[in-house]
Amino acid sequence: MKDSNQRLLLTVVLCMAVALVWSFVFQPKSPQRAGAPDAGAARQQSERSAQTPPSSPQPSSSPSGPSGAPTGAASSAGGSSAAGAAPATGVPRGTSQPRPPERSVALDSERLHVVLTSDGAALKSVLLKGEKFQRRQTGNAKDTQVDLVQVQPGQPLPLSTALRDAAGAEVVAADAGYELVRQDAHSAVFRATAGAFTVRKTFTLDPRLYRLDLSVDVGEAGSAPPLNGQLTIISTGHGQAGSGGGWFSGHANAPERAICEAAGKLERVGVGDKHPVWEGPGTAAFAGVDEQYFIRAVVPPQGAVASCRIEAKAEGALLATLSLPLAVPAGGKVGTAFVVYAGPKDTEELGAVAPALKNSVDLGFWSVIANVLLAVMKFFHKVVPPHNWGIAIILLTLTVKALTFPLQHKSMKSMQEMQRLQPQIEEIKKKYAGDQQRQNVEQMKLFKEHGVNPMGSCLPMLIQMPIWLALYTTLQVSVELYNSVFIPGWLDDLTAKDPYYILPVAMGATMLLTQVLTPTPMSNPGQKTMGYAMSAFFSLLMLNLPSGLTLYIFVNNILSILQQLYLRRAMRPPAPPASTQTLAVTARRA
């Protein structure tokens, strides 16, 4: 009995350890920050200000009325510029010219609807087109398109440009007022003059990719001295601090973070991080603002010696800068071309714009397994009608089950053999009741004679655990699964929890049934009870986790139940054969 109690205690400790590891690894941090406005409300408000892109955008360069306010598609899609632009009556540093009135320009492609503003010649809105890229709203609120521009008040708008001299003095400010020189459906040109210097920014939207080209030309008059300074492209965003969500916290999208890759090292900083500032130690490959499934990043010219700096401020502002040395001769002009990616973190889309951007897709410690799982799901989603990600996850489960079938079958068979040997194990315990060491030796000898592995029952969990962790990471990072519908009206997003908790309850029921069918290798009935308790506890942990992961575990449990039923039937001892002997009966004489 003492030995049985020790084994029961060990089982409890191991189960609790698995639960703790599961909780800490699987549960995401909540992006809420004390005292900060709700992120969904802030994003929704910003997206309301940038309406759904029109099918046939019209140029909006001509002002309407005495106020000079822009009209047309650009005006309606732009919203108000409350992200740190200088007032319309302000004067840029270094010039006595009046500040040009604020103008908004809309650019459209197959993938993006971009709104630019002349205040800083920067991004005002970047909407991703398509039903997939929508922010799902709760209640009666209407779903809105994903907008990749979220800026804290008082911060420059994304793609603002700062020009400084060798001493660090500001020559052209990031919030300088620009004049709209020219525009069409896919490009716009802005110009600002500060003293003897002129900055000309040209934006060109790629018609097929999530790409925006930015050309910055800096020139000066012949009477001005040469300029040896620095050109900085600024990327800004809005983040929130993470806090521990607990074991039963709901799944939430990860907050935005500033991101930079320099000298082969990729770094992210978010609000609330212990080290909120990072400066790239070498040549930067890109810098920008990273979200869970999306990224907006600036790539410097190939071969340029660029540096980056990322920072997350306590109030929620994110800042990523990409700086290049700039030398402008007297009376001359220097042009620098940047590539801007604004879109989903799809490796193919990222690689089509700049190969270095593919490094922003971080699958973490289980990246090798996660990449394999994602590749298999992509294959099934592509070749199997109706091209449903839920069906792809089911087929992935079948594939993994087929590959691990020999090992799991051997484990289940070992457990069945352990059950058969139970009477002999009890006899050994009685025979050597006072000698624990001799009991262990005799039991191991018995297991070896019958080819039984006493640790075989742990094998299925050890096999599945890395797959569960990798699949969870895949659902959290891979944009291919974002807003992926399995059953419309029920599971509309496999990266979110089941809104009706049907799948977690069904998964819990299959886990309990698995425990019923699993033979107990020890005579202690408490171990069976503990198995039931842990199944219920594990089901509670799954209530708020992605439904795609719950679907995988549910299907895997169904397959394991069928496998156990088959094994129980195959290992059932055969019925004794009917006697074929004929008894000779001699009639007794009367």
mmCIF file of all heavy atoms in Angstrom, residues 507-548:
data_model
loop_
_atom_site.group_PDB
_atom_site.id
_atom_site.type_symbol
_atom_site.label_atom_id
_atom_site.label_comp_id
_atom_site.label_asym_id
_atom_site.label_seq_id
_atom_site.Cartn_x
_atom_site.Cartn_y
_atom_site.Cartn_z
ATOM 1 N N MET A 507 -14.330 17.731 -26.407
ATOM 2 C CA MET A 507 -12.973 17.237 -26.216
ATOM 3 C C MET A 507 -12.799 16.641 -24.821
ATOM 4 O O MET A 507 -12.182 15.587 -24.647
ATOM 5 C CB MET A 507 -11.974 18.373 -26.423
ATOM 6 C CG MET A 507 -10.522 17.945 -26.398
ATOM 7 S SD MET A 507 -9.441 19.245 -25.800
ATOM 8 C CE MET A 507 -9.895 19.297 -24.072
ATOM 9 N N GLY A 508 -13.376 17.313 -23.803
ATOM 10 C CA GLY A 508 -13.302 16.784 -22.447
ATOM 11 C C GLY A 508 -13.995 15.440 -22.319
ATOM 12 O O GLY A 508 -13.507 14.534 -21.621
ATOM 13 N N ALA A 509 -15.135 15.287 -22.997
ATOM 14 C CA ALA A 509 -15.855 14.010 -22.955
ATOM 15 C C ALA A 509 -15.022 12.892 -23.575
ATOM 16 O O ALA A 509 -14.976 11.771 -23.054
ATOM 17 C CB ALA A 509 -17.188 14.143 -23.680
ATOM 18 N N THR A 510 -14.340 13.190 -24.683
ATOM 19 C CA THR A 510 -13.507 12.158 -25.307
ATOM 20 C C THR A 510 -12.296 11.819 -24.438
ATOM 21 O O THR A 510 -11.839 10.667 -24.428
ATOM 22 C CB THR A 510 -13.031 12.620 -26.695
ATOM 23 O OG1 THR A 510 -12.322 13.867 -26.570
ATOM 24 C CG2 THR A 510 -14.215 12.802 -27.633
ATOM 25 N N MET A 511 -11.782 12.797 -23.697
ATOM 26 C CA MET A 511 -10.663 12.506 -22.789
ATOM 27 C C MET A 511 -11.108 11.591 -21.655
ATOM 28 O O MET A 511 -10.382 10.676 -21.252
ATOM 29 C CB MET A 511 -10.091 13.809 -22.230
ATOM 30 C CG MET A 511 -9.375 14.666 -23.258
ATOM 31 S SD MET A 511 -8.481 16.056 -22.525
ATOM 32 C CE MET A 511 -7.102 15.195 -21.783
ATOM 33 N N LEU A 512 -12.311 11.842 -21.140
ATOM 34 C CA LEU A 512 -12.840 10.976 -20.082
ATOM 35 C C LEU A 512 -13.080 9.565 -20.611
ATOM 36 O O LEU A 512 -12.793 8.574 -19.927
ATOM 37 C CB LEU A 512 -14.131 11.569 -19.526
ATOM 38 C CG LEU A 512 -13.980 12.861 -18.712
ATOM 39 C CD1 LEU A 512 -15.354 13.426 -18.356
ATOM 40 C CD2 LEU A 512 -13.172 12.623 -17.445
ATOM 41 N N LEU A 513 -13.607 9.470 -21.838
ATOM 42 C CA LEU A 513 -13.836 8.151 -22.425
ATOM 43 C C LEU A 513 -12.507 7.424 -22.655
ATOM 44 O O LEU A 513 -12.424 6.205 -22.469
ATOM 45 C CB LEU A 513 -14.596 8.304 -23.747
ATOM 46 C CG LEU A 513 -14.967 7.001 -24.469
ATOM 47 C CD1 LEU A 513 -15.773 6.077 -23.564
ATOM 48 C CD2 LEU A 513 -15.733 7.304 -25.755
ATOM 49 N N THR A 514 -11.484 8.181 -23.025
ATOM 50 C CA THR A 514 -10.166 7.581 -23.194
ATOM 51 C C THR A 514 -9.662 7.003 -21.876
ATOM 52 O O THR A 514 -9.064 5.917 -21.835
ATOM 53 C CB THR A 514 -9.172 8.633 -23.726
ATOM 54 O OG1 THR A 514 -9.653 9.163 -24.962
ATOM 55 C CG2 THR A 514 -7.799 8.010 -23.954
ATOM 56 N N GLN A 515 -9.913 7.731 -20.769
ATOM 57 C CA GLN A 515 -9.511 7.225 -19.458
ATOM 58 C C GLN A 515 -10.272 5.956 -19.092
ATOM 59 O O GLN A 515 -9.723 5.039 -18.468
ATOM 60 C CB GLN A 515 -9.751 8.302 -18.395
ATOM 61 C CG GLN A 515 -8.774 9.456 -18.447
ATOM 62 C CD GLN A 515 -7.367 9.027 -18.103
ATOM 63 O OE1 GLN A 515 -7.156 8.157 -17.267
ATOM 64 N NE2 GLN A 515 -6.391 9.634 -18.752
ATOM 65 N N VAL A 516 -11.544 5.889 -19.474
ATOM 66 C CA VAL A 516 -12.342 4.693 -19.185
ATOM 67 C C VAL A 516 -11.761 3.478 -19.901
ATOM 68 O O VAL A 516 -11.681 2.378 -19.341
ATOM 69 C CB VAL A 516 -13.812 4.922 -19.596
ATOM 70 C CG1 VAL A 516 -14.600 3.616 -19.497
ATOM 71 C CG2 VAL A 516 -14.449 5.991 -18.711
ATOM 72 N N LEU A 517 -11.354 3.686 -21.160
ATOM 73 C CA LEU A 517 -10.853 2.574 -21.961
ATOM 74 C C LEU A 517 -9.403 2.220 -21.661
ATOM 75 O O LEU A 517 -8.952 1.135 -22.003
ATOM 76 C CB LEU A 517 -10.983 2.916 -23.454
ATOM 77 C CG LEU A 517 -12.414 3.095 -23.981
ATOM 78 C CD1 LEU A 517 -12.392 3.542 -25.432
ATOM 79 C CD2 LEU A 517 -13.209 1.805 -23.829
ATOM 80 N N THR A 518 -8.678 3.150 -21.041
ATOM 81 C CA THR A 518 -7.271 2.891 -20.761
ATOM 82 C C THR A 518 -7.135 1.956 -19.569
ATOM 83 O O THR A 518 -7.666 2.238 -18.488
ATOM 84 C CB THR A 518 -6.532 4.205 -20.449
ATOM 85 O OG1 THR A 518 -6.659 5.076 -21.572
ATOM 86 C CG2 THR A 518 -5.057 3.948 -20.170
ATOM 87 N N PRO A 519 -6.445 0.846 -19.716
ATOM 88 C CA PRO A 519 -6.259 -0.070 -18.582
ATOM 89 C C PRO A 519 -5.374 0.554 -17.513
ATOM 90 O O PRO A 519 -4.426 1.287 -17.814
ATOM 91 C CB PRO A 519 -5.584 -1.285 -19.214
ATOM 92 C CG PRO A 519 -4.907 -0.752 -20.437
ATOM 93 C CD PRO A 519 -5.780 0.348 -20.947
ATOM 94 N N THR A 520 -5.705 0.292 -16.268
ATOM 95 C CA THR A 520 -4.916 0.801 -15.152
ATOM 96 C C THR A 520 -3.793 -0.172 -14.858
ATOM 97 O O THR A 520 -4.029 -1.310 -14.469
ATOM 98 C CB THR A 520 -5.797 0.959 -13.900
ATOM 99 O OG1 THR A 520 -6.934 1.742 -14.243
ATOM 100 C CG2 THR A 520 -5.033 1.647 -12.796
ATOM 101 N N PRO A 521 -2.535 0.271 -15.031
ATOM 102 C CA PRO A 521 -1.427 -0.662 -14.835
ATOM 103 C C PRO A 521 -1.209 -1.037 -13.385
ATOM 104 O O PRO A 521 -0.609 -2.041 -13.100
ATOM 105 C CB PRO A 521 -0.228 0.103 -15.398
ATOM 106 C CG PRO A 521 -0.609 1.541 -15.295
ATOM 107 C CD PRO A 521 -2.082 1.585 -15.480
ATOM 108 N N MET A 522 -1.671 -0.231 -12.442
ATOM 109 C CA MET A 522 -1.494 -0.513 -11.023
ATOM 110 C C MET A 522 -2.829 -0.893 -10.397
ATOM 111 O O MET A 522 -3.899 -0.558 -10.908
ATOM 112 C CB MET A 522 -0.900 0.718 -10.315
ATOM 113 C CG MET A 522 0.426 1.159 -10.895
ATOM 114 S SD MET A 522 1.695 -0.112 -10.744
ATOM 115 C CE MET A 522 3.065 0.705 -11.572
ATOM 116 N N SER A 523 -2.727 -1.544 -9.293
ATOM 117 C CA SER A 523 -3.950 -1.988 -8.623
ATOM 118 C C SER A 523 -4.633 -0.876 -7.851
ATOM 119 O O SER A 523 -5.751 -1.056 -7.392
ATOM 120 C CB SER A 523 -3.616 -3.143 -7.665
ATOM 121 O OG SER A 523 -2.669 -2.707 -6.691
ATOM 122 N N ASN A 524 -3.989 0.241 -7.687
ATOM 123 C CA ASN A 524 -4.552 1.335 -6.909
ATOM 124 C C ASN A 524 -5.647 2.037 -7.714
ATOM 125 O O ASN A 524 -5.381 2.634 -8.749
ATOM 126 C CB ASN A 524 -3.443 2.336 -6.557
ATOM 127 C CG ASN A 524 -3.912 3.331 -5.503
ATOM 128 O OD1 ASN A 524 -5.100 3.520 -5.296
ATOM 129 N ND2 ASN A 524 -2.946 3.947 -4.850
ATOM 130 N N PRO A 525 -6.907 2.014 -7.279
ATOM 131 C CA PRO A 525 -7.980 2.666 -8.033
ATOM 132 C C PRO A 525 -7.875 4.176 -7.997
ATOM 133 O O PRO A 525 -8.508 4.862 -8.799
ATOM 134 C CB PRO A 525 -9.247 2.175 -7.323
ATOM 135 C CG PRO A 525 -8.811 1.845 -5.932
ATOM 136 C CD PRO A 525 -7.407 1.338 -6.062
ATOM 137 N N GLY A 526 -7.105 4.738 -7.074
ATOM 138 C CA GLY A 526 -6.972 6.188 -7.000
ATOM 139 C C GLY A 526 -6.333 6.779 -8.233
ATOM 140 O O GLY A 526 -6.589 7.930 -8.581
ATOM 141 N N GLN A 527 -5.501 6.005 -8.927
ATOM 142 C CA GLN A 527 -4.858 6.514 -10.129
ATOM 143 C C GLN A 527 -5.896 6.750 -11.222
ATOM 144 O O GLN A 527 -5.791 7.716 -11.976
ATOM 145 C CB GLN A 527 -3.796 5.533 -10.605
ATOM 146 C CG GLN A 527 -3.002 6.044 -11.800
ATOM 147 C CD GLN A 527 -1.879 5.117 -12.183
ATOM 148 O OE1 GLN A 527 -1.569 4.181 -11.453
ATOM 149 N NE2 GLN A 527 -1.265 5.366 -13.327
ATOM 150 N N LYS A 528 -6.882 5.901 -11.307
ATOM 151 C CA LYS A 528 -7.939 6.083 -12.292
ATOM 152 C C LYS A 528 -8.733 7.349 -11.994
ATOM 153 O O LYS A 528 -9.043 8.136 -12.894
ATOM 154 C CB LYS A 528 -8.863 4.863 -12.260
ATOM 155 C CG LYS A 528 -9.699 4.673 -13.521
ATOM 156 C CD LYS A 528 -8.867 4.094 -14.635
ATOM 157 C CE LYS A 528 -9.749 3.672 -15.812
ATOM 158 N NZ LYS A 528 -8.958 3.155 -16.933
ATOM 159 N N THR A 529 -9.017 7.559 -10.728
ATOM 160 C CA THR A 529 -9.744 8.764 -10.332
ATOM 161 C C THR A 529 -8.948 10.015 -10.668
ATOM 162 O O THR A 529 -9.501 11.022 -11.122
ATOM 163 C CB THR A 529 -10.047 8.727 -8.826
ATOM 164 O OG1 THR A 529 -10.770 7.524 -8.533
ATOM 165 C CG2 THR A 529 -10.873 9.925 -8.408
ATOM 166 N N MET A 530 -7.655 9.955 -10.421
ATOM 167 C CA MET A 530 -6.802 11.092 -10.749
ATOM 168 C C MET A 530 -6.803 11.359 -12.248
ATOM 169 O O MET A 530 -6.775 12.518 -12.692
ATOM 170 C CB MET A 530 -5.377 10.837 -10.252
ATOM 171 C CG MET A 530 -4.402 11.989 -10.532
ATOM 172 S SD MET A 530 -4.968 13.579 -9.898
ATOM 173 C CE MET A 530 -5.051 13.196 -8.146
ATOM 174 N N GLY A 531 -6.846 10.326 -13.063
ATOM 175 C CA GLY A 531 -6.916 10.499 -14.510
ATOM 176 C C GLY A 531 -8.176 11.230 -14.921
ATOM 177 O O GLY A 531 -8.144 12.113 -15.790
ATOM 178 N N TYR A 532 -9.304 10.906 -14.287
ATOM 179 C CA TYR A 532 -10.550 11.609 -14.578
ATOM 180 C C TYR A 532 -10.454 13.082 -14.178
ATOM 181 O O TYR A 532 -10.909 13.982 -14.914
ATOM 182 C CB TYR A 532 -11.715 10.957 -13.831
ATOM 183 C CG TYR A 532 -12.006 9.535 -14.258
ATOM 184 C CD1 TYR A 532 -12.427 8.577 -13.334
ATOM 185 C CD2 TYR A 532 -11.865 9.148 -15.586
ATOM 186 C CE1 TYR A 532 -12.689 7.275 -13.721
ATOM 187 C CE2 TYR A 532 -12.128 7.847 -15.980
ATOM 188 C CZ TYR A 532 -12.541 6.903 -15.043
ATOM 189 O OH TYR A 532 -12.798 5.627 -15.427
ATOM 190 N N ALA A 533 -9.877 13.335 -13.011
ATOM 191 C CA ALA A 533 -9.762 14.717 -12.527
ATOM 192 C C ALA A 533 -8.879 15.549 -13.454
ATOM 193 O O ALA A 533 -9.205 16.704 -13.773
ATOM 194 C CB ALA A 533 -9.206 14.728 -11.103
ATOM 195 N N MET A 534 -7.779 14.977 -13.896
ATOM 196 C CA MET A 534 -6.887 15.715 -14.777
ATOM 197 C C MET A 534 -7.508 15.945 -16.152
ATOM 198 O O MET A 534 -7.270 16.976 -16.786
ATOM 199 C CB MET A 534 -5.552 14.977 -14.913
ATOM 200 C CG MET A 534 -4.702 15.000 -13.653
ATOM 201 S SD MET A 534 -4.437 16.672 -13.012
ATOM 202 C CE MET A 534 -3.637 17.467 -14.412
ATOM 203 N N SER A 535 -8.329 15.023 -16.624
ATOM 204 C CA SER A 535 -9.028 15.226 -17.892
ATOM 205 C C SER A 535 -9.979 16.408 -17.793
ATOM 206 O O SER A 535 -10.054 17.250 -18.705
ATOM 207 C CB SER A 535 -9.796 13.956 -18.285
ATOM 208 O OG SER A 535 -8.912 12.881 -18.494
ATOM 209 N N ALA A 536 -10.710 16.493 -16.673
ATOM 210 C CA ALA A 536 -11.628 17.619 -16.476
ATOM 211 C C ALA A 536 -10.857 18.930 -16.353
ATOM 212 O O ALA A 536 -11.250 19.960 -16.916
ATOM 213 C CB ALA A 536 -12.483 17.376 -15.231
ATOM 214 N N PHE A 537 -9.748 18.895 -15.623
ATOM 215 C CA PHE A 537 -8.956 20.096 -15.436
ATOM 216 C C PHE A 537 -8.359 20.567 -16.768
ATOM 217 O O PHE A 537 -8.353 21.765 -17.082
ATOM 218 C CB PHE A 537 -7.840 19.817 -14.420
ATOM 219 C CG PHE A 537 -6.958 21.001 -14.142
ATOM 220 C CD1 PHE A 537 -7.431 22.076 -13.409
ATOM 221 C CD2 PHE A 537 -5.658 21.041 -14.611
ATOM 222 C CE1 PHE A 537 -6.623 23.169 -13.150
ATOM 223 C CE2 PHE A 537 -4.842 22.134 -14.355
ATOM 224 C CZ PHE A 537 -5.330 23.200 -13.627
ATOM 225 N N PHE A 538 -7.878 19.649 -17.565
ATOM 226 C CA PHE A 538 -7.309 19.980 -18.869
ATOM 227 C C PHE A 538 -8.380 20.576 -19.779
ATOM 228 O O PHE A 538 -8.107 21.506 -20.556
ATOM 229 C CB PHE A 538 -6.710 18.728 -19.501
ATOM 230 C CG PHE A 538 -5.942 18.984 -20.763
ATOM 231 C CD1 PHE A 538 -4.670 19.530 -20.707
ATOM 232 C CD2 PHE A 538 -6.478 18.680 -21.984
ATOM 233 C CE1 PHE A 538 -3.959 19.768 -21.872
ATOM 234 C CE2 PHE A 538 -5.775 18.913 -23.156
ATOM 235 C CZ PHE A 538 -4.509 19.459 -23.093
ATOM 236 N N SER A 539 -9.603 20.073 -19.682
ATOM 237 C CA SER A 539 -10.701 20.621 -20.488
ATOM 238 C C SER A 539 -10.982 22.068 -20.107
ATOM 239 O O SER A 539 -11.282 22.901 -20.975
ATOM 240 C CB SER A 539 -11.957 19.768 -20.303
ATOM 241 O OG SER A 539 -11.711 18.430 -20.688
ATOM 242 N N LEU A 540 -10.894 22.393 -18.821
ATOM 243 C CA LEU A 540 -11.095 23.777 -18.392
ATOM 244 C C LEU A 540 -10.009 24.684 -18.960
ATOM 245 O O LEU A 540 -10.279 25.826 -19.356
ATOM 246 C CB LEU A 540 -11.102 23.861 -16.861
ATOM 247 C CG LEU A 540 -12.320 23.263 -16.158
ATOM 248 C CD1 LEU A 540 -12.138 23.308 -14.642
ATOM 249 C CD2 LEU A 540 -13.592 24.014 -16.552
ATOM 250 N N LEU A 541 -8.779 24.202 -18.997
ATOM 251 C CA LEU A 541 -7.701 24.984 -19.573
ATOM 252 C C LEU A 541 -7.952 25.285 -21.048
ATOM 253 O O LEU A 541 -7.527 26.325 -21.559
ATOM 254 C CB LEU A 541 -6.368 24.241 -19.440
ATOM 255 C CG LEU A 541 -5.755 24.133 -18.044
ATOM 256 C CD1 LEU A 541 -4.470 23.329 -18.101
ATOM 257 C CD2 LEU A 541 -5.483 25.510 -17.455
ATOM 258 N N MET A 542 -8.650 24.400 -21.748
ATOM 259 C CA MET A 542 -8.854 24.558 -23.189
ATOM 260 C C MET A 542 -10.028 25.454 -23.531
ATOM 261 O O MET A 542 -10.224 25.769 -24.709
ATOM 262 C CB MET A 542 -9.079 23.177 -23.828
ATOM 263 C CG MET A 542 -7.906 22.224 -23.721
ATOM 264 S SD MET A 542 -6.421 22.848 -24.556
ATOM 265 C CE MET A 542 -7.003 22.938 -26.234
ATOM 266 N N LEU A 543 -10.807 25.882 -22.548
ATOM 267 C CA LEU A 543 -12.017 26.653 -22.841
ATOM 268 C C LEU A 543 -11.721 27.914 -23.639
ATOM 269 O O LEU A 543 -12.489 28.282 -24.536
ATOM 270 C CB LEU A 543 -12.742 27.010 -21.539
ATOM 271 C CG LEU A 543 -13.462 25.863 -20.818
ATOM 272 C CD1 LEU A 543 -14.056 26.352 -19.508
ATOM 273 C CD2 LEU A 543 -14.550 25.267 -21.712
ATOM 274 N N ASN A 544 -10.637 28.612 -23.311
ATOM 275 C CA ASN A 544 -10.355 29.893 -23.937
ATOM 276 C C ASN A 544 -9.170 29.860 -24.886
ATOM 277 O O ASN A 544 -8.700 30.911 -25.313
ATOM 278 C CB ASN A 544 -10.097 30.952 -22.856
ATOM 279 C CG ASN A 544 -11.358 31.285 -22.082
ATOM 280 O OD1 ASN A 544 -12.436 31.384 -22.656
ATOM 281 N ND2 ASN A 544 -11.227 31.446 -20.778
ATOM 282 N N LEU A 545 -8.703 28.679 -25.217
ATOM 283 C CA LEU A 545 -7.597 28.563 -26.163
ATOM 284 C C LEU A 545 -8.134 28.445 -27.590
ATOM 285 O O LEU A 545 -9.330 28.184 -27.796
ATOM 286 C CB LEU A 545 -6.723 27.366 -25.806
ATOM 287 C CG LEU A 545 -5.924 27.522 -24.509
ATOM 288 C CD1 LEU A 545 -5.107 26.279 -24.238
ATOM 289 C CD2 LEU A 545 -5.021 28.744 -24.560
ATOM 290 N N PRO A 546 -7.299 28.660 -28.613
ATOM 291 C CA PRO A 546 -7.784 28.642 -29.996
ATOM 292 C C PRO A 546 -8.552 27.366 -30.334
ATOM 293 O O PRO A 546 -8.132 26.262 -29.992
ATOM 294 C CB PRO A 546 -6.492 28.755 -30.817
ATOM 295 C CG PRO A 546 -5.549 29.480 -29.927
ATOM 296 C CD PRO A 546 -5.865 29.009 -28.533
ATOM 297 N N SER A 547 -9.665 27.553 -31.019
ATOM 298 C CA SER A 547 -10.511 26.403 -31.360
ATOM 299 C C SER A 547 -9.807 25.467 -32.329
ATOM 300 O O SER A 547 -10.126 24.271 -32.375
ATOM 301 C CB SER A 547 -11.833 26.888 -31.963
ATOM 302 O OG SER A 547 -11.604 27.741 -33.073
ATOM 303 N N GLY A 548 -8.838 25.966 -33.106
ATOM 304 C CA GLY A 548 -8.095 25.085 -34.001
ATOM 305 C C GLY A 548 -7.293 24.049 -33.246
ATOM 306 O O GLY A 548 -7.207 22.883 -33.655
#
